[in-house]
Amino acid sequence: MQKFSINISEQAHNSLKEITKNKILYDASSTLVFFNGFYDDTKTLGVFPHRGLNLINNLKAKIYKNHLIIYQILETEVNIIDIVDPRQHSVAKKYFKN
């Protein structure tokens, strides 16, 4: 079984920070769990990257706690591009076909 390395983009880190800033206003106790869980969850893509949903431009998405982790599979690595809340249509629509 091939093991892929995981690279998390600056955009994904920034989006995660924004999401957790908003979450802390509503449920501070679960925010740290969400934040750390994101990094734990992305590690599974190193083993099973092809299980995600197909998006545009050879991008894929993995569902994580009602959010989409947007990523791209390269030869030996998985690039995490972003994490988005699909309910925020203006942010999420750039990853879906019209």
Side-chain angles (χ1 to χ4, degrees), residues 17-32 34:
K17 287 176 190 173
E18 285 301 311
I19 291 166
T20 54
K21 267 200 282 188
N22 292 328
K23 283 186 159 302
I24 205 161
L25 299 172
Y26 300 103
D27 187 5
S29 63
S30 69
T31 302
L32 185 60
F34 181 89

Side-chain angles (χ1 to χ4, degrees), residues 7-9 11-12 15 38 42 45 52-64 67-73 78-86 91-96:
N7 299 311
I8 302 175
S9 73
Q11 175 63 45
S15 294
F38 166 80
T42 59
L45 292 171
L53 308 167
N54 293 322
L55 303 177
I56 63 169
N57 300 327
N58 294 320
L59 296 177
K60 296 188 80 62
K62 180 181 189 317
I63 299 171
Y64 171 68
H67 288 73
L68 297 174
I69 298 173
I70 310 296
Y71 64 97
Q72 181 180 41
I73 304 169
V78 173
N79 288 328
I80 308 298
I81 296 169
D82 207 351
I83 178 171
V84 297
D85 184 339
V91 175
K93 72 178 181 180
K94 65 184 172 184
Y95 298 113
F96 294 93

Side-chain angles (χ1 to χ4, degrees), residues 32-50:
L32 185 60
V33 171
F34 181 89
F35 185 85
N36 290 332
F38 166 80
Y39 292 105
D40 291 339
D41 205 58
T42 59
K43 290 176 187 174
T44 66
L45 292 171
V47 180
F48 299 112
H50 297 285

